[in-house]
């Protein structure tokens, strides 16, 4: 009897100690931690060592591998299918079609991220964070669309476009371009920018053939200097660091040119990007900021197979620009020693959209209910704290996939099941197709199923090879009711919170005669009812 009582007391003591320890860790979590966001461009899901790449692909990534071993690695983390929407989603916590940032911005188009949108920086400013942006922006050229107009105190080494856009202005790269067009690109292409909140951005240098390969190395130098400066103060800070690598054309720094075992420019640039991540991480540790600094690494979109071999690797079907897993599934790593369990893995559905709610939670502030212009707004962001700190079940159980022109999702995932309506970009091809032809990638036709979507079990079939919708053995027609309800709920939010106009030019399909006549008739009817259309914007909406 005494043994049983003793055993019970021991078990009670262990339970109590565990609870107290857990509670103590929660109480010990610093309020308003420093937040550093590291984003690389177009890096493939399978490029990093911890995702099966690294040394095995001839491009070692020791620093990111170490970050994962010291933190949490995500396996079902989603970006968006291309650069501009991917970055807009992360910065605003909103589906890109809500902000109008659905298409890739080119030089000379103007416009950009609407002034009324909240960003991670403008929200964190509500909690008195100091804010810094560096690297690739890709969210417009207008003054109202600059980082320093969206909550960032300082911007340095900012480039506005994807790397290959800068090569348009290089005569040696485009000898077949006529002089007038070359002159246009040279004038329209904004160079490297810096600036401070309350002022206008300054062009400190053009992007040239001599410095384009060194952009990330130069940026990292300034990031480290800024980090050193922030370490001297007591205020919390937020740094958004955006590498220009690994976007095609991959031009490695002279320090890494020819250094990858793969003997490829892409491999060289992956190693360079990893090296620069390591420099930032080493500085955090050197300055003694580890205990109070949350670091998050991820990528804007899936691998761009159209430009293979100058591209990352994805084991999934489809690629950048599609609603398949390969278009949006990206690597992601969270790091915070003492708070995030070292070497932990997460297989829940999460994504770049969720950084907004998570960062606001860490800063101890609620998300706004109105946009910066005072109009009601909605976020598509879920706090990941339960996942990061193992506090409970995840808040998100679904993901919606959009190409650049889709208001209703072209695909949707709920739990293990995925419904695909838009089969664009794969032409029936599986991962590892012999050739990334036009019909296999971003440039492929938008093609929709006639009645019912293809249904995939993402747990059993992450490559989306086996459509289970109507199958004699495992048919999953019952999933349609679930997907229909989820999409209907999403579509209803557009009524209360209308999407903003598109902020970049794009081809949205042919303007057929009947469509044009319908538009003209609609205008005529509105005018007859006294509704004037004279002030309908023809340029990107600033609100």
């Amino acid at each position: 009897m005494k043994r049983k009582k003793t055993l019970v007391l021991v078990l009670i003591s262990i339970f109590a100690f565990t609870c107290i320890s857990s509670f103590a860790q929660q109480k010990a979590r610093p309020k308003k931690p420093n937040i550093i966001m590291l984003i690389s461009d177009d890096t493939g899901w399978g490029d990093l060592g911890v995702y099966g790449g690294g040394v095995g692909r001839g491009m070692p990534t020791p620093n990111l591998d170490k970050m994962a071993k010291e933190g949490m690695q995500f396996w079902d983390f989603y970006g968006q299918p291309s650069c501009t929407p991917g970055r807009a989603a992360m910065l605003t916590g909103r589906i890109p079609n809500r902000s109008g940032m659905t298409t890739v911005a080119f030089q000379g188009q103007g416009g950009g991220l609407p002034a009324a949108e909240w960003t991670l920086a403008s929200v964190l400013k509500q909690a008195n964070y100091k804010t810094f942006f560096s690297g690739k922006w890709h969210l417009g050229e207008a003054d109202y669309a600059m980082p320093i107009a969206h909550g960032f105190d300082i911007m340095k080494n900012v480039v506005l476009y994807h790397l290959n856009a800068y090569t348009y202005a290089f005569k040696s790269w485009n000898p077949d371009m006529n002089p007038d067009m070359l002159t246009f690109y040279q004038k329209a292409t904004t160079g490297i920018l810096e600036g401070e909140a309350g002022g206008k951005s300054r062009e400190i240098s053009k992007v040239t053939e001599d410095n384009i390969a060194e952009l990330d190395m130069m940026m990292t130098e300034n990031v480290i200097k800024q980090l050193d400066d922030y370490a001297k103060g007591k205020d919390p800070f937020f740094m958004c660091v955006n590498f220009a690598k690994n976007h095609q054309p991959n031009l490695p720094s002279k320090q890494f040119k020819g250094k990858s075992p793969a003997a490829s420019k892409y491999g060289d640039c992956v190693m360079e990007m990893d090296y620069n991540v390591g420099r930032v991480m080493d500085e955090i540790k050197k300055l003694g900021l580890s205990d109070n600094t949350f670091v998050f690494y991820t990528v804007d979109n899936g691998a761009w197979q159209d430009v293979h071999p100058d591209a990352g690797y994805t084991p999934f079907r489809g690629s950048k620009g599609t609603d398949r897993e390969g278009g949006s599934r990206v690597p992601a790593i969270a790091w915070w020693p003492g708070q995030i369990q070292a070497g932990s893995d997460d297989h829940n559905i999460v994504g770049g959209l969720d950084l907004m709610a998570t960062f606001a939670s860490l800063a101890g502030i609620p998300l706004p209910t109105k946009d910066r212009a005072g109009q009601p707004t909605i976020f598509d962001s879920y706090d990941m704290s339960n996942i990061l700190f193992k506090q409970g079940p995840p808040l998100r159980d679904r993901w919606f996939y959009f190409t650049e022109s889709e208001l209703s999702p072209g695909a949707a995932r709920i739990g293990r099941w995925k419904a695909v309506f838009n089969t664009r970009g794969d032409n029936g091809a599986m991962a590892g197709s012999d050739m990334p032809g036009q019909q296999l990638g971003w440039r492929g036709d938008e093609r929709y199923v006639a009645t019912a979507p293809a249904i995939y079990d993402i747990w059993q079939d992450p490559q989306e090879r086996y459509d289970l919708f109507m199958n004699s053995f495992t048919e999953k027609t019952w999933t349609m009711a679930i997907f229909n309800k989820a999409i209907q709920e999403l579509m209803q939010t557009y009524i209360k919170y209308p999407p903003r106009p598109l902020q970049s030019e794009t081809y949205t399909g042919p303007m057929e005669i009947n469509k044009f006549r319908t538009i003209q008739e609609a205008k005529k009817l509105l005018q007859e009812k006294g509704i004037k259309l004279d002030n309908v914007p023809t340029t990107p909406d600033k609100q």
Side-chain angles (χ1 to χ4, degrees):
M1 190 68 178
K2 287 184 178 180
R3 277 187 176 181
K4 287 185 178 179
K5 286 184 178 180
T6 302
L7 180 60
V8 169
L9 289 172
V10 169
L11 291 173
I12 291 173
S13 299
I14 292 172
F15 177 75
F17 177 77
T18 303
C19 292
I20 292 169
S21 297
S22 176
F23 180 73
Q25 180 171 331
Q26 288 181 3
K27 295 292 286 185
R29 185 173 306 137
K31 294 181 179 179
K32 296 185 180 181
N34 306 317
I35 300 172
I36 299 178
M37 187 173 168
L38 304 172
I39 304 170
S40 62
D41 201 3
D42 280 14
T43 310
W45 190 92
D47 288 345
L48 311 185
V50 291
Y51 285 92
V55 174
R57 295 198 56 239
M59 48 190 81
T61 55
N63 295 295
L64 283 161
D65 296 352
K66 183 178 181 182
M67 183 180 176
K69 289 173 183 174
E70 294 177 348
M72 176 177 285
Q73 180 179 359
F74 294 87
W75 295 89
D76 285 50
F77 194 92
Y78 291 96
Q80 299 293 323
S82 64
C83 303
T84 295
R87 292 164 191 279
M90 282 189 277
L91 277 171
T92 66
R94 282 157 50 85
I95 294 169
N97 59 38
R98 295 196 193 278
S99 62
M101 302 300 294
T102 63
T103 60
V104 172
F106 285 81
Q107 59 263 60
Q109 291 185 326
L113 188 63
E117 287 289 329
W118 287 99
T119 67
L120 295 172
S122 55
V123 167
L124 289 174
K125 289 300 292 181
Q126 309 303 302
N128 299 314
Y129 272 68
K130 291 185 175 180
T131 54
F132 174 85
F133 185 92
S134 63
K136 181 180 177 180
W137 178 240
H138 215 184
L139 296 175
E141 298 174 308
D143 288 340
Y144 68 80
M146 290 293 105
I148 51 175
H150 279 283
F152 289 98
D153 300 325
I154 303 169
M155 55 182 260
K156 284 189 176 180
N157 294 93
V158 172
V159 290
L160 299 184
Y161 325 108
H162 43 297
L163 275 186
N164 60 319
Y166 290 99
T167 67
Y168 304 158
F170 300 163
K171 186 175 181 180
S172 63
W173 279 66
N174 301 288
D176 53 344
M177 188 184 291
N178 68 54
D180 289 342
M181 186 59 70
L182 183 64
T183 299
F184 163 77
Y185 277 117
Q186 289 173 342
K187 288 183 178 179
T189 304
T190 303
I192 302 169
L193 299 176
E194 65 178 26
E196 297 78 33
K200 288 191 174 184
S201 57
R202 303 180 296 274
E203 185 178 72
I204 60 171
S205 170
K206 289 291 184 183
V207 175
T208 67
E209 292 180 78
D210 293 329
N211 68 20
I212 189 170
E214 304 301 327
L215 291 177
D216 284 355
M217 298 295 282
M218 294 187 296
M219 178 193 73
T220 305
E221 288 290 340
N222 279 321
V223 168
I224 290 172
K225 290 177 183 177
Q226 189 63 49
L227 191 53
D228 293 348
D229 184 60
Y230 281 151
K232 297 173 185 175
K234 295 183 179 179
D235 294 324
F237 60 83
F238 167 55
M239 302 181 75
C240 187
V241 180
N242 299 262
F243 301 104
K245 311 291 171 66
N246 302 99
H247 197 289
Q248 173 270 347
N250 279 278
L251 302 170
S253 162
K254 59 186 178 183
Q255 184 175 336
F256 284 88
K257 190 173 182 179
K259 296 297 175 66
S260 68
S264 70
K265 289 182 178 180
Y266 185 84
D268 295 347
C269 286
V270 168
M271 289 179 60
E272 178 189 336
M273 183 272 293
D274 178 79
Y275 168 74
N276 284 322
V277 168
R279 294 169 71 191
V280 175
M281 297 302 292
D282 287 346
E283 195 69 13
I284 293 169
K285 296 172 183 177
K286 173 186 168 185
L287 294 169
L289 298 173
S290 300
D291 291 344
N292 195 36
T293 301
F294 174 73
V295 184
F296 199 89
Y297 164 81
T298 190
V299 182
D300 50 357
N301 51 254
W304 192 10
Q305 292 296 291
D306 286 338
V307 294
H308 181 81
D310 194 20
Y313 166 72
T314 177
F316 304 110
R317 188 169 183 175
S319 67
K320 179 178 179 179
T322 75
D323 287 324
R324 295 294 191 180
E325 290 296 285
S328 297
R329 190 90 74 99
V330 295
I333 301 168
W335 181 92
W336 191 0
Q339 303 299 332
I340 294 174
Q341 182 182 333
S344 54
D345 295 286
D346 183 79
H347 293 272
N348 291 293
I349 300 172
V350 282
L353 285 167
D354 298 327
L355 298 177
M356 173 65 85
T358 305
F359 290 2
S361 175
L362 293 177
I365 54 175
L367 288 177
T369 57
K370 293 184 177 181
D371 68 17
R372 296 173 76 191
Q375 298 300 311
T377 193
I378 187 174
F379 292 93
D380 302 290
S381 189
Y382 291 82
D383 184 5
M384 296 190 295
S385 295
N386 282 0
I387 292 172
L388 292 169
F389 309 120
K390 299 187 180 298
Q391 294 175 329
L395 302 183
R396 178 189 286 285
D397 70 343
R398 63 196 59 186
W399 191 263
F400 297 111
Y401 308 70
F402 301 89
T403 58
E404 64 274 8
S405 60
E406 291 175 333
L407 186 61
S408 62
R413 179 181 173 185
I414 300 178
R416 67 193 288 178
W417 307 107
K418 180 176 180 180
V420 177
F421 301 91
N422 181 2
T423 60
R424 170 197 191 176
D426 57 49
N427 196 30
M430 306 302 176
S433 297
D434 290 337
M435 182 178 179
Q438 179 176 352
Q439 76 279 12
L440 304 183
W442 199 354
R443 297 172 294 167
D445 299 334
E446 297 272 14
R447 294 177 298 143
Y448 292 89
V449 294
T451 304
I455 298 292
Y456 301 97
D457 181 346
I458 295 299
W459 285 2
Q460 301 295 325
D461 177 28
Q463 290 184 318
E464 301 169 81
R465 295 183 182 216
Y466 306 103
D467 177 8
L468 302 175
F469 182 75
M470 197 166 287
N471 179 296
S472 61
F473 178 62
T474 59
E475 63 95 3
K476 302 297 178 184
T477 53
W478 58 265
T479 60
M480 274 307 299
I482 297 173
F483 285 112
N484 286 344
K485 184 175 184 295
I487 292 171
Q488 184 181 40
E489 290 171 354
L490 170 68
M491 298 304 292
Q492 287 174 346
T493 67
Y494 294 138
I495 299 171
K496 187 175 180 180
Y497 308 99
R500 303 188 195 279
L502 290 179
Q503 301 299 308
S504 296
E505 299 171 11
T506 186
Y507 178 70
T508 56
M511 174 54 76
E512 299 171 348
I513 293 173
N514 286 341
K515 186 187 293 185
F516 177 76
R517 286 176 176 167
T518 300
I519 292 171
Q520 294 301 104
E521 286 298 318
K523 286 183 178 180
K524 184 179 177 181
L525 287 171
L526 289 171
Q527 289 170 349
E528 288 175 355
K529 292 185 177 182
I531 302 173
K532 294 183 179 181
L533 299 179
D534 297 339
N535 296 323
V536 173
T538 55
T539 55
D541 180 18
K542 297 183 181 183
Q543 299 302 316

